[in-house]
Amino acid sequence: MSRKSIYYLGIVGLLILLVHPFTLAQLSRATISGTVTDETGGVLPGVSITIENLEMGTTRETVADDQGRYSAPNLSVGSYSVRAELPGFSIAVRTGIQLTVGRNAIVNLALQVGEITEQVTVTGEAPLVESTTSSVGGLVERSQIEELPLSGRDFGELTRLIAGVNRGGGGGSFQGGFTEGLSIRGSRDEANKILLDGTDIQGIDNQLPGSVAGVTLGVDAIQEFKVEVGTYSSEFGRALGGVINVSTRSGSNEFHGTFFEFLRNDNLDAADFFAAPGEKPEFKRNQFGFSIGGPILSDQTFFFGSYEGLRDRLGTTSIDDVPLRDPSDPDTVIFTDDGTTITAKDIIKPYLALYPFPNGRDHGDGTAELLTSAVQPTNEDFFTARIDHTLSDSDSLFGVYTFDDGRRTDFSDFNILRTPEKSRNQFLTIEETKIFSPTVFNTFHFGYSRNYKSLDRAESDITFDPDLTFAKGQTGVGGEGPLSIKDEELAVSGLGDFGVADKPRTWATNKFQVSDQVLWKKGSHSLKLGLEVIRFHQNIIQNSNVGGEYTFRSIERFLQESRGPRRFRARLPGSDQTRRIR
């Protein structure tokens, strides 16, 4: 046997788990199981069990085994009833059972001797204590998602409700996917696994797949989610920290919909305590959308869709340090502490002219403050569409597609240069559940996720002299045209940096996921066998010092070009900073 064959055989072997008879919950789904007895407590074999989804009208049928046990795995989340029938006994019905993500609800039934036309109905939730798994975690339910206040309608904020979860750090950065980091049980931010209906949707750096707006939208499309913080099943795989398991909403036999709009406006806000009297930065945020779900074919096919738009205009104030230039002699910098002046060398004069004149506090060391303001625009559009379809009493499937597109403009020091930022996330899930017999179940899952983030080259309304370029003749990545001083960086200690030298940057991650799981129940044991394959693509343009970077130790050395710059860094002409990882 070849080494490769042994390797793959080992993988399959690790996926075979001998588990408790009823711990058959599937990633984003749930299970109802229990035992049927008579009035004396004796087990009743051969009892017909009918499990009905009260919202969709779909049913699942099974039969209790020789020990009176039954199990119905791979059920969608929602409200259920369980019905037990056996000749010579009255019918027993249990209603009010609410299934949540990954839950195994234990519903034990007792039949009374009587006519089959008699029916005993019990309304009440199954015990909430999870007795079939050692997993530690917490559930965020639909009511919490709907009623708790959320900044920016970011459902990721609700992870703070779970013990052992800390959110913060890394927020807003390109490398972190623009969202705040999420640490579970002290793990690193990128050590978690994030599932949407069983599909791995981890964003750049394995964090929540946020957008340039710094939020993860989709509140109206989420039924609930569970955060597993420890001792979870090995079927989740890979995660060293925790698992965030999200389930989307489904349609039902009744049409339901919502429409919303949230508005924040600086005209309705109090003034910032630290702002100058009478000044209030512009801020307008408008979040709007709708959701609708219902039947396509009653008791068989259902749909759900949700859309959310974000339009944000954030007024920002930037305080940067610039040379204190003499208005009557712009090539001269004034040092008011000792009254001296320094006139820039001829080679430095055009670079000194790039800095705007100050309008704020004089530091006395040749620098002063420049206060500028700008309005940062952010647009985002998010939608989800889901179809659930019952092929037969033993065969069902669902499909979900999610699309999230964001645009934002960021500003560099002095608010002279603008950097367009883009994000686009797309997720697709198709899953089929097949019941071969009351003891054999199969689930096939296909998932695709794409996370795309990009920072484009800097833009400006100013035309810069091409002779100021550090690396003459150097072009952008992919031959995007000659670089200018705005694509380079001039860094002088004590001053704000001029130019943007690390753009463009792009990260695009594609994941193709195929998995299949067979559940087989035999007597008092169950066997779970599964296989998952993920094909991973990552395409990166990680530009660093595309046009070059000059660094000076002090403003005096910069003006006099004394001993030259402290450092010059640049990409070698012709070098390739594009990476394709498979």
Side-chain angles (χ1 to χ4, degrees), residues 272-319:
D272 190 317
F273 179 81
F274 297 100
E279 292 186 5
K280 195 178 342 181
E282 181 180 354
F283 177 55
K284 292 179 176 62
R285 173 181 288 170
N286 192 5
Q287 286 184 268
F288 52 91
F290 66 89
S291 65
I292 185 170
I296 298 175
L297 295 173
S298 294
D299 298 339
Q300 184 175 10
T301 308
F302 311 91
F303 78 94
F304 179 84
S306 174
Y307 166 79
E308 182 167 357
L310 169 67
R311 304 293 183 266
D312 191 296
R313 302 296 180 266
L314 176 63
T316 61
T317 299
S318 177
I319 303 176

Side-chain angles (χ1 to χ4, degrees), residues 25-28 101-102 135 193 195 200 226 228 231-239 242-245 532 534:
Q26 182 69 11
L27 298 183
S28 63
V101 173
S135 175
K193 188 164 188 174
L195 301 172
D200 188 335
K226 187 174 184 180
E228 307 271 3
T231 62
Y232 38 81
S233 171
S234 60
E235 66 190 297
F236 289 104
R238 291 207 314 130
V243 177
I244 301 173
N245 197 357
E532 180 181 64
I534 298 179

Side-chain angles (χ1 to χ4, degrees), residues 221-412:
I222 295 173
Q223 176 64 30
E224 59 195 24
F225 66 91
K226 187 174 184 180
V227 181
E228 307 271 3
V229 300
T231 62
Y232 38 81
S233 171
S234 60
E235 66 190 297
F236 289 104
R238 291 207 314 130
L240 297 176
V243 177
I244 301 173
N245 197 357
V246 184
S247 176
T248 56
R249 297 175 67 183
S250 302
S252 65
N253 274 326
E254 296 182 359
F255 285 98
H256 292 281
T258 60
F259 176 81
F260 66 88
E261 180 166 5
F262 295 90
L263 174 66
R264 290 186 62 185
N265 192 303
D266 61 273
N267 295 323
L268 305 175
D269 292 345
D272 190 317
F273 179 81
F274 297 100
E279 292 186 5
K280 195 178 342 181
E282 181 180 354
F283 177 55
K284 292 179 176 62
R285 173 181 288 170
N286 192 5
Q287 286 184 268
F288 52 91
F290 66 89
S291 65
I292 185 170
I296 298 175
L297 295 173
S298 294
D299 298 339
Q300 184 175 10
T301 308
F302 311 91
F303 78 94
F304 179 84
S306 174
Y307 166 79
E308 182 167 357
L310 169 67
R311 304 293 183 266
D312 191 296
R313 302 296 180 266
L314 176 63
T316 61
T317 299
S318 177
I319 303 176
D320 302 296
D321 290 333
V322 296
L324 181 58
R325 298 158 64 195
D326 186 346
S328 60
D329 185 7
D331 297 330
T332 300
V333 174
I334 305 171
F335 294 77
T336 55
D337 278 351
D338 56 14
T340 61
T341 61
I342 297 178
T343 300
K345 294 290 186 66
D346 289 343
I347 194 173
I348 297 298
K349 288 178 181 179
Y351 295 100
L352 178 63
L354 295 172
Y355 293 93
F357 285 95
N359 59 7
R361 184 177 49 161
D362 175 12
H363 297 308
D365 59 354
T367 69
E369 289 180 347
L370 171 69
L371 285 74
T372 57
S373 60
V375 177
Q376 183 182 66
T378 302
N379 296 337
E380 185 172 0
D381 294 284
F382 172 97
F383 76 81
T384 291
R386 173 169 175 149
I387 298 290
D388 291 80
H389 178 63
T390 300
L391 298 169
S392 67
D393 291 341
S394 61
D395 200 354
S396 63
L397 60 83
F398 73 87
V400 186
Y401 175 68
T402 299
F403 177 89
D404 184 13
D405 185 79
R407 298 285 188 275
R408 182 175 72 177
T409 299
D410 203 4
F411 293 86
S412 65

